[in-house]
Amino acid sequence: MLYVWGRIRPAKSPFSARLHEARSQCHFANAPAGPPPAFSKRTVNDRFVPGTPATLIRNATVFTGDTILHERDVLLDQGLIQSVSSAFEHRASPDTVEIQAAGAWLTPGLIDMHTHLGVLSMPLLPSHADANSQMSPIRPMLRSIDAFNEHDLSVRRTLSGGVTSALVLPGSLNNIGGQAYPVKLGSLHDRPPSSRVIDPPRSMVMNGEAGHARDDLYPPNTGMQRPDGSTSFRQIKMACGENARKYHLVRMDEAWNFRSMLERAQKLRARQDDFCARLATGQLDYAPPSELHFPNEQEIDVLVDVLRGRTKVQTHCYTMNDLDAFVRHANEFQFPIAAFHHAHETYLVPSVLHGAPGGAPAAAIFSTNANYKYESYFGTPFQPELLRSHNITPIIKSDHPVLDSRRLLNQAAQAHHFGLHELDALRAVTSAPAHVVGLAHRLGHVQPGMDADVVLWDRHPLQLGATPTHVFVDGRSEFEVLHSSGPAPDGTKPQQAPPSAKFHDDMARVRNASEAIADQRVLAFPTPVKHVPAMVLHNLSHVYLRTDGPLRLHHGQGRVLVFAQGQVRCFGDESCLASAPAHAHHMDTQGGVVLPGLISYGATLGLSDIPSEASASNGEEKAQDERSDLPRPMSRAVDGLVFGGHDLLRAHASGVSTVVSAPPFEGLYGSVSAHFDSGASSVLDKMSVRASSVALHAKLAPSEDGRFALSTQVALLRAQLNHPKTPEWEQVASGRLPLIVATDYEHMAAQMILLKRAMPQVRLVLDSAAPLHRIAAELAEADIPVLLPNQVWMFGWERCDRLAGPPVSAETELGVLLQHGVRVGVRIDEAWEASNLLWETTWAAQDAHVTDAATILSWLTTNLEDILQLPASSSDVVVYDSNPFAYGAKVLGVGTPRGFELFP
């Protein structure tokens, strides 16, 4: 029953005060959710910081949130976008700050619709890990804003990436994890942390608010007053699927958790409606005070608002069956779903989403991150475009700290690479999330009257390496200086969008094979369609070849390459055709580019198909007793290789021809890595294993069981080198086998320099995300190579002093190491990252202002061969249809000693 109360008169007695309060509660409980009624007439942003000067951004290319406008001036004042006009028409006042955009791109501030900023704050310490309650799987009354940590170093770094607003969610271990809050990431300007919340709902009592006098907190010109009793939308985080296994629940338990709590809310709503109806008809005018209490339960009041349509439901949900079940719950209790998050299988069942009450939910998704658990195993990089084609809104999110929220726009760029239209990719991180969280009246658009949250970019926002040059929140410039990333390897910062890669055939195959994908007969990502023993590539434009020396670039139209008998037989002009076998397959690449096969180092690629499933993984070696005189045999990757996993196949389809992996282990030391072919089907294949013993691995990190301090670990490592107890350690001590020591601690890296000085024969290699820039000269002097990730964000305390790189700092760890002559190679942290290896390494190079493509490739090929003494993989080649150092290029084929594989 809908109940709307008119004007509420002030009370004159205790009884009338109780009656007045009851009427107020009914008034607010039944009022609508959405923008304040006079919001469009505001003349100043309620978040405006007095003294902020007006800013005129001249001659920008503007993405408005819907379309693209060229040669526009944008005026920011009073915390609002005041005008978007033709370039140079606007005459600025003398005190207006002017920025000459010179055609650069201006976008709305980005919105991350799924982040744990502040509640899983960086550096990640147990004392501030507040995302998940472990009290119960059902905690609707919890509020993320109550745990938001202002010491989170990621907040300002995320802002530097152009993300100005974010929906801060509780975690996903609980079926109902609590209430989420949309926040601004700009500076507080002496305001309390809770002031970050954008238009707090009435359920959140604000500082200075007394009774129901919230409107008194806002001047009329802010448009924030709500005389109709309305509220902004609340947000609730729900989650189905694997994560609640922590509570020993199966999916039937989860379904009952949702339904039983919604039934409680349904009954509470009925009691409230009945109370308000009796109050409205005068039945309670003379009731005793005990009967004048508005029925409410704080534990579930947010769920009542779900049923009233005043709470946006944000649901972590992956699989077809979970999506289907949750839509059934929504239909049973008649509430809309704002978005499914992660939602890896939405593309398989779009009709299920269209069956939800109130219209199809949006899907807040990753672009390429997948396979980390069974729920994500059937994901596809084509999902954003497939969803759009089914009239389901794709939204790109970070799930920070799962992915770095500073790189949110990069995920949208990857979605564009895999087919999502330029405008839809930009909407996916601006206007689309603004609409879904109910804030499109003030966020996500560049148009008059909107909050002045805008970002100016150094190149087209979807180009690899795009970096903000200016970030404004509520009209205020947030950074005095932002350091731009360097140009692409071709020396440019393109102002036009990159093309989408030509995945038309793969896209059509995935679109039409839902059932075959679901039962694992068909793969949902690019796969080879043909295998030939010999290949002739015509009309190549650029070829990077390695022989006995460094990589060399050969360029010029019309080049020919002959690949036969598992290697490059000839490269040059048409005369090479004489060396081509008669049965060779011919391809006109139309300007294609050939690279050496990339080497992926790190993670568990080839050792686990699904890391979270024991039966789909080699497993983790438990800690040895490092003090034992009889250590057990070393775990060897070559003995546990599993080919054909999704991450391995996706890496292969992205140009990674070989992999170096070591079995994961607990404790100080414990495994030997192997070098193997990413496209092989078995260790029995020809050349599937290139090297069975690459290096012995150790790590210096706090032990999980607390047995050994870091200083003790160094002592044990030194003792093992002085008195080796296994054949592997004897090889390391004599310099015949490299020792890779993983540590993210700068002081431990310094100890390794001392160890190398004392034992120069040991071939010591650092695997590190530590802040090494302060000891780069000493690393070079000691000739200690470093394997480092191509991108790093805060996790532990040990990484706090790491150079963040553009736009936060001008320099990067990689750049400083290179300046001092340290030999470097690039590694990955998680197996899925291998499919993005060349992109992310190219971006790392741009941040380090390295533009030589051969140098970039060396970090993924010849440097790794040199550092790890791998057998040269000069036989491996990958051909792309265009420039592979930018988005838009597609792999056409991969050549290895097994032959040449063709992709559609």
Side-chain angles (χ1 to χ4, degrees):
M1 178 183 295
L2 182 63
Y3 173 84
V4 179
W5 190 259
R7 183 185 175 104
I8 302 171
R9 304 182 181 219
K12 296 183 180 178
S13 69
F15 177 77
S16 61
R18 185 68 60 86
L19 196 61
H20 174 77
E21 174 65 19
R23 288 171 174 164
S24 297
Q25 292 284 2
C26 288
H27 177 56
F28 293 130
N30 289 283
F39 192 79
S40 62
K41 298 178 182 178
R42 66 176 178 161
T43 59
V44 63
N45 188 335
D46 57 292
R47 308 179 61 82
F48 175 64
V49 178
T52 302
T55 300
L56 181 62
I57 302 171
R58 288 202 178 276
N59 190 22
T61 303
V62 178
F63 170 66
T64 67
D66 297 306
T67 189
I68 295 169
L69 302 176
H70 297 277
E71 298 181 339
R72 290 296 193 273
D73 289 351
V74 178
L75 177 64
L76 314 178
D77 195 16
Q78 299 297 302
L80 303 177
I81 297 172
Q82 297 289 348
S83 65
V84 180
S85 58
S86 297
F88 308 113
E89 284 186 0
H90 196 286
R91 298 187 64 179
S93 61
D95 56 352
T96 297
V97 176
E98 291 195 36
I99 296 174
Q100 302 297 330
W105 283 79
L106 185 78
T107 70
L110 309 184
I111 302 171
D112 191 347
M113 207 179 82
H114 185 128
T115 182
H116 304 294
L117 280 170
V119 294
L120 277 178
S121 52
M122 300 291 110
L124 188 58
L125 302 172
S127 55
H128 282 285
D130 291 318
N132 293 288
S133 170
Q134 300 187 31
M135 300 292 290
S136 158
I138 302 296
R139 306 290 282 173
M141 63 290 194
L142 305 187
R143 308 187 305 180
S144 65
I145 193 60
D146 295 331
F148 193 92
N149 178 17
E150 282 295 338
H151 295 295
D152 188 344
L153 297 177
S154 291
V155 172
R156 191 152 180 82
R157 295 194 178 187
T158 294
L159 181 65
S160 77
V163 181
T164 57
S165 301
L167 183 63
V168 177
L169 297 162
S172 55
L173 290 187
N174 312 93
N175 293 144
I176 304 178
Q179 298 164 52
Y181 288 82
V183 301
K184 291 280 185 94
L185 300 182
S187 304
L188 287 174
H189 305 296
D190 298 324
R191 296 178 295 206
S194 57
S195 70
R196 290 192 180 279
V197 178
I198 308 167
D199 192 0
R202 286 195 180 272
S203 59
M204 178 182 169
V205 177
M206 299 167 62
N207 289 335
E209 181 180 358
H212 302 296
R214 171 164 297 189
D215 286 356
D216 295 344
L217 300 179
Y218 297 110
N221 62 351
T222 64
M224 291 291 290
Q225 294 183 353
R226 295 177 178 270
D228 61 346
S230 63
T231 179
S232 62
F233 284 101
R234 302 168 79 177
Q235 315 280 333
I236 187 74
K237 170 70 179 295
M238 299 190 185
C240 45
E242 292 184 19
N243 285 10
R245 288 293 193 270
K246 176 180 177 60
Y247 294 99
H248 308 292
L249 302 178
V250 297
R251 282 177 166 83
M252 293 179 287
D253 295 313
E254 294 179 9
W256 174 242
N257 280 342
F258 291 129
R259 296 178 63 240
S260 61
M261 292 300 289
L262 289 165
E263 183 185 35
R264 276 184 62 189
Q266 195 177 56
K267 291 177 178 178
L268 177 57
R269 180 184 63 174
R271 295 203 310 272
Q272 291 175 351
D273 288 348
D274 177 67
F275 174 85
C276 292
R278 290 190 295 127
L279 189 66
T281 57
Q283 297 178 47
L284 298 177
D285 284 357
Y286 301 101
S290 60
E291 294 184 19
L292 286 177
H293 287 288
F294 177 76
N296 198 27
E297 298 177 42
Q298 280 205 16
E299 181 183 3
I300 61 171
D301 76 321
V302 67
L303 299 181
V304 175
D305 272 349
V306 166
L307 302 180
R308 295 191 189 279
R310 306 189 336 154
T311 297
K312 299 281 189 179
V313 177
Q314 312 286 349
T315 304
H316 162 121
C317 213
Y318 283 80
T319 67
M320 293 186 288
N321 51 301
D322 287 337
L323 294 163
D324 184 50
F326 201 85
V327 169
R328 288 201 311 274
H329 307 330
N331 277 302
E332 180 179 358
F333 293 94
Q334 282 301 296
F335 64 88
I337 305 167
F340 283 119
H341 292 237
H342 301 305
H344 277 60
E345 296 185 13
T346 45
Y347 75 101
L348 296 174
V349 285
S351 61
V352 168
L353 275 68
H354 281 290
I365 53 180
F366 295 126
S367 56
T368 56
N369 186 6
N371 305 322
Y372 44 89
K373 55 183 178 177
Y374 189 60
E375 290 178 325
S376 66
Y377 195 66
F378 299 93
T380 175
F382 305 124
Q383 173 152 247
E385 171 55 20
L386 292 174
L387 292 176
R388 186 215 58 79
S389 70
H390 287 294
N391 293 317
I392 295 170
T393 301
I395 290 171
I396 300 298
K397 46 81 177 173
S398 73
D399 196 14
H400 185 96
V402 173
L403 298 184
D404 186 0
S405 50
R406 180 163 58 128
R407 300 290 184 97
L408 179 67
L409 188 59
N410 185 43
Q411 282 201 76
Q414 292 172 3
H416 175 58
H417 171 87
F418 285 106
L420 188 63
H421 188 274
E422 172 189 6
L423 293 180
D424 291 308
L426 293 171
R427 290 177 187 131
V429 289
T430 55
S431 53
H435 281 280
V436 171
V437 298
L439 290 170
H441 57 286
R442 66 183 300 169
L443 301 180
H445 297 81
V446 179
Q447 63 188 44
M450 291 285 171
D451 287 10
D453 299 353
V454 296
V455 184
L456 198 63
W457 301 87
D458 70 341
R459 67 200 82 185
H460 189 287
L462 299 181
Q463 288 285 356
L464 186 63
T467 310
T469 60
H470 296 80
V471 178
F472 291 87
V473 178
D474 300 318
R476 190 176 182 90
S477 179
E478 288 291 337
F479 299 92
E480 290 186 9
V481 177
L482 285 176
H483 303 277
S484 184
S485 182
D490 64 4
T492 68
K493 293 185 176 183
Q495 292 297 331
Q496 72 281 2
S500 293
K502 299 173 183 176
F503 285 113
H504 313 297
D505 292 342
D506 278 302
M507 183 92 70
R509 174 179 57 81
V510 172
R511 185 192 306 276
N512 298 318
S514 296
E515 291 189 13
I517 291 170
D519 62 17
Q520 303 189 53
R521 287 179 287 122
V522 171
L523 297 174
F525 46 84
T527 53
V529 295
K530 193 172 185 179
H531 189 278
V532 296
M535 188 75 200
V536 180
L537 302 172
H538 296 268
N539 289 327
L540 295 167
S541 62
H542 295 76
V543 176
Y544 293 84
L545 284 181
R546 54 181 170 179
T547 52
D548 295 333
L551 281 168
R552 292 181 57 200
L553 167 63
H554 306 265
H555 61 88
Q557 294 297 325
R559 296 300 186 100
V560 174
L561 185 146
V562 176
F563 187 92
Q565 296 177 321
Q567 60 184 315
V568 176
R569 304 294 296 178
C570 184
F571 168 70
D573 56 22
E574 294 291 323
S575 63
C576 274
L577 295 177
S579 63
H583 62 272
H585 189 90
H586 291 253
M587 177 191 293
D588 183 354
T589 68
Q590 302 180 39
V593 178
V594 171
L595 303 186
L598 308 180
I599 303 170
S600 175
Y601 168 84
T604 57
L605 202 60
L607 290 167
S608 66
D609 198 3
I610 306 174
S612 65
E613 296 290 344
S615 63
S617 174
N618 180 63
E620 182 178 62
E621 187 74 10
K622 298 303 178 184
Q624 299 187 35
D625 184 353
E626 285 86 353
R627 292 174 174 171
S628 170
D629 290 331
L630 297 171
R632 60 181 179 234
M634 290 290 177
S635 173
R636 297 164 57 85
V638 70
D639 296 328
L641 292 178
V642 178
F643 294 94
H646 282 194
D647 281 326
L648 201 57
L649 294 177
R650 285 184 64 173
H652 187 70
S654 302
V656 173
S657 64
T658 60
V659 175
V660 175
S661 289
F665 57 92
E666 294 178 352
L668 172 58
Y669 40 74
S671 67
V672 176
S673 50
H675 182 209
F676 55 93
D677 186 326
S678 63
S681 59
S682 164
V683 292
L684 303 178
D685 289 356
K686 175 186 178 183
M687 290 291 287
S688 62
V689 177
R690 306 292 178 86
S692 58
S693 297
V694 171
L696 180 62
H697 292 254
K699 61 184 175 186
L700 299 171
S703 56
E704 294 182 7
D705 57 9
R707 288 191 304 160
F708 299 127
L710 288 171
S711 54
T712 304
Q713 294 176 40
V714 173
L716 290 168
L717 185 60
R718 189 183 298 114
Q720 187 66 260
L721 290 170
N722 284 321
H723 304 286
K725 298 176 182 177
T726 68
E728 294 85 359
W729 279 105
E730 289 176 357
Q731 294 177 54
V732 167
S734 63
R736 289 173 291 149
L737 186 68
L739 172 63
I740 299 179
V741 177
T743 185
D744 287 346
Y745 289 85
E746 178 188 1
H747 61 292
M748 289 292 98
Q751 289 294 330
M752 293 303 96
I753 293 173
L754 296 177
L755 187 148
K756 175 69 173 179
R757 289 174 180 173
M759 303 178 181
Q761 79 281 5
V762 175
R763 286 164 43 206
L764 183 65
V765 179
L766 272 182
D767 178 338
S768 183
L772 299 177
H773 57 279
R774 291 183 289 230
I775 58 172
E778 290 81 0
L779 286 168
E781 181 185 8
D783 191 25
I784 299 177
V786 176
L787 305 173
L788 73 167
N790 45 38
Q791 58 168 305
V792 175
W793 55 100
M794 293 295 165
F795 272 102
W797 186 266
E798 65 276 12
R799 295 186 184 180
C800 282
D801 292 335
R802 218 186 130 81
L803 292 171
V808 179
S809 67
E811 292 189 309
T812 67
E813 296 291 334
L814 172 62
V816 173
L817 292 175
L818 293 172
Q819 291 166 24
H820 285 87
V822 177
R823 289 181 293 157
V824 300
V826 167
R827 70 160 170 83
I828 60 174
D829 282 314
E830 297 181 8
W832 68 270
E833 295 176 82
S835 60
N836 298 342
L837 186 58
L838 185 55
W839 290 337
E840 299 297 345
T841 303
T842 300
W843 193 338
Q846 291 176 188
D847 281 351
H849 294 269
V850 174
T851 57
D852 179 60
T855 298
I856 298 169
L857 286 172
S858 72
W859 306 334
L860 302 170
T861 55
T862 51
N863 276 24
L864 287 173
E865 291 176 351
D866 173 57
I867 291 169
L868 302 177
Q869 294 195 354
L870 303 176
S873 300
S874 56
S875 58
D876 296 353
V877 296
V878 183
V879 57
Y880 298 80
D881 63 358
S882 57
N883 174 21
F885 299 97
Y887 290 122
K890 179 182 180 296
V891 169
L892 299 177
V894 178
T896 69
R898 294 178 295 101
F900 204 95
E901 293 166 299
L902 299 175
F903 288 79

